[in-house]
Amino acid sequence: MASLEELQQLAELIDIIYYEVSGRRSDGFDQPGDGTEEEETDDRADIQLMQRMQGNRLAVRTRALVITSEGRMVADVAALFQTPEPVSIPASIAKRFAEVIATPVTRPYLREAIHQSAVKLGIAAPLLSVLDLEDVGLLPTVARRKPVA
């Protein structure tokens, strides 16, 4: 595999897989000493990007941990791509494919899962920033939506 463009032409998206979708309110019935009393003062989103090539399948997984003053939400989503036959992909091309091609695929699923978790918990839904392809590879920030009165 010589280039990102070549991999992009060969790889076909075949599935979206959820590994985790969870949420927890901060004002629940937590007991002292149970490890849940972490006090967060700033809203934040930590995003991890992982990839794995096995045979002719390339899985690119994106995991978001979003913490606000009201709760903690996790979404872990993978885009599964397949090539017609097994290929050898240099690490640099696999990394760039994950950042440029697969992240825009998984990002809407992450955003929706985080939003729906917050809605179900009855807390203000944090919004992951819109993915700017110029900034791929940087950790996004969390924007807070003001509650509607």
Side-chain angles (χ1 to χ4, degrees):
M1 188 65 44
S3 70
L4 175 62
E5 293 76 20
E6 187 179 350
L7 179 57
Q8 181 181 4
Q9 289 174 357
L10 287 177
E12 176 187 353
L13 178 64
I14 60 169
D15 204 1
I16 298 294
I17 301 167
Y18 285 89
Y19 287 95
E20 180 180 3
V21 175
S22 64
R24 183 177 63 219
R25 288 178 66 110
S26 297
D27 65 348
F29 297 95
D30 299 334
Q31 298 297 316
D34 69 0
T36 61
E37 67 272 353
E38 58 190 50
E39 288 293 321
E40 294 293 336
T41 56
D42 293 328
D43 295 349
R44 74 173 206 263
D46 297 320
I47 309 290
Q48 292 178 307
L49 182 61
M50 302 159 269
Q51 71 260 353
R52 180 180 64 197
M53 185 73 192
Q54 189 171 21
N56 67 334
R57 293 192 173 195
L58 173 61
V60 179
R61 189 168 163 179
T62 310
R63 184 177 195 279
L65 165 63
V66 179
I67 297 176
T68 71
S69 60
E70 295 180 275
R72 176 183 191 276
M73 288 133 296
V74 175
D76 189 344
V77 180
L80 183 59
F81 296 87
Q82 183 172 304
T83 58
E85 57 189 46
V87 294
S88 176
I89 303 171
S92 62
I93 292 176
K95 181 177 188 256
R96 197 70 186 137
F97 182 87
E99 293 171 344
V100 176
I101 307 301
T103 298
V105 172
T106 59
R107 187 63 172 241
Y109 293 93
L110 283 179
R111 292 177 72 177
E112 184 273 338
I114 295 294
H115 182 85
Q116 287 302 313
S117 291
V119 168
K120 287 177 182 177
L121 293 172
I123 63 177
L127 298 176
L128 293 178
S129 62
V130 174
L131 184 64
D132 182 352
L133 291 178
E134 296 293 322
D135 294 331
V136 167
L138 300 178
L139 291 180
T141 58
V142 175
R144 296 275 294 159
R145 179 182 294 172
K146 294 181 182 175
V148 178

